[in-house]
């Protein structure tokens, strides 16, 4: 099963409005072009909404310089208060401090040194850092090499892949990643397609009440067909 390319325009029409815009407080280009800042932003985004992630990051930025040397020396309680708007602040504060310490101790405070490894080694090296899981590693890898190679699978992507019937309920991270890479027309513009499809997964195929009737993929969706086909 493939995402119909003729629906890309419709995807754009419906979901462009959700694209994050840079403002004075938050510059996404600056974040995504700095490996360490991107990593911290990704940790802050774990299990929370994009609004809360932005609030937590802006608060962090107002209080500290976002670099491994500064963050590794912080008191967990103090940091936790600063990033409170992001939720799970105690866990994330400890994680940020641990990750920062690791980068100071193993990369002299410069995460870009990781780029000296061959591409396939970089992901492994990222996963060696306590507090970085597959999703976080792939966020960083995709910022370096594109979604075509390192497709990011988060909770929204997992849910829609299963509902569409691209994978089984028990599929693991890499099975879902492979299925979505094959399904989506990433050769068109991998970053844009990933993001627009993510908006579809998050806002239309939402966890509690998917809006199947208005979904552009309902005619190919296993979940929707299961609900609408009347048994003979
Ligand atoms: S039809 Fe419903 S369940 Fe299927 S992808 Fe669309 S919103 Fe999700």
């Amino acid at each position: 099963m493939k995402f119909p390319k003729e629906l890309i325009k419709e995807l754009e029409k419906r979901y462009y409005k959700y694209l994050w815009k840079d403002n004075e407080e938050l510059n996404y280009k600056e974040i995504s072009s700095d490996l360490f800042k991107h990593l911290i932003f990704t940790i802050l985004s774990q299990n929370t909404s994009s609004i809360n992630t932005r609030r937590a990051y802006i608060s962090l930025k107002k209080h500290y310089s976002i670099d491994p040397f500064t963050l590794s020396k912080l008191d967990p309680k103090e940091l936790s208060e600063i990033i409170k708007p992001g939720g799970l602040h105690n866990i994330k504060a400890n994680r940020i401090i641990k990750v920062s310490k690791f980068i100071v101790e193993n990369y002299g405070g410069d995460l870009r040194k990781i780029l000296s490894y061959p591409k396939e080694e970089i992901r492994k090296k990222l996963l060696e850092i306590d507090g970085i899981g597959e999703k976080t590693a792939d966020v960083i890898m995709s910022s370096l090499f594109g979604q075509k190679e390192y497709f990011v699978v988060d909770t929204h992507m997992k849910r829609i892949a299963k509902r569409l019937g691209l994978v089984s309920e028990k599929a693991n991270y890499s099975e879902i990643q492979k299925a979505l890479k094959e399904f989506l027309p990433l050769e068109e513009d991998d970053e844009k397609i990933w993001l627009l499809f993510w908006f579809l997964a998050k806002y239309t195929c939402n966890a509690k009440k998917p809006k199947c009737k208005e979904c552009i993929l309902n005619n190919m969706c296993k979940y929707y067909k299961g609900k609408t086909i009347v048994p003979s």
Side-chain angles (χ1 to χ4, degrees), residues 160 163-164 200 204-205 210-212 215 217-218 221 223-224:
I160 197 167
R163 283 181 175 166
L164 282 168
L200 187 158
T204 303
C205 191
K211 299 169 190 155
C212 298
C215 177
L217 299 177
N218 61 15
C221 176
Y223 175 94
Y224 186 60

Side-chain angles (χ1 to χ4, degrees), residues 181-197:
K181 269 162 78 176
E182 282 168 9
F183 175 66
L184 290 169
L186 297 173
E187 67 284 358
E188 299 290 320
D189 178 343
D190 56 345
E191 291 303 322
K192 189 177 82 181
I193 299 288
W194 184 93
L195 198 52
L196 293 172
F197 186 72

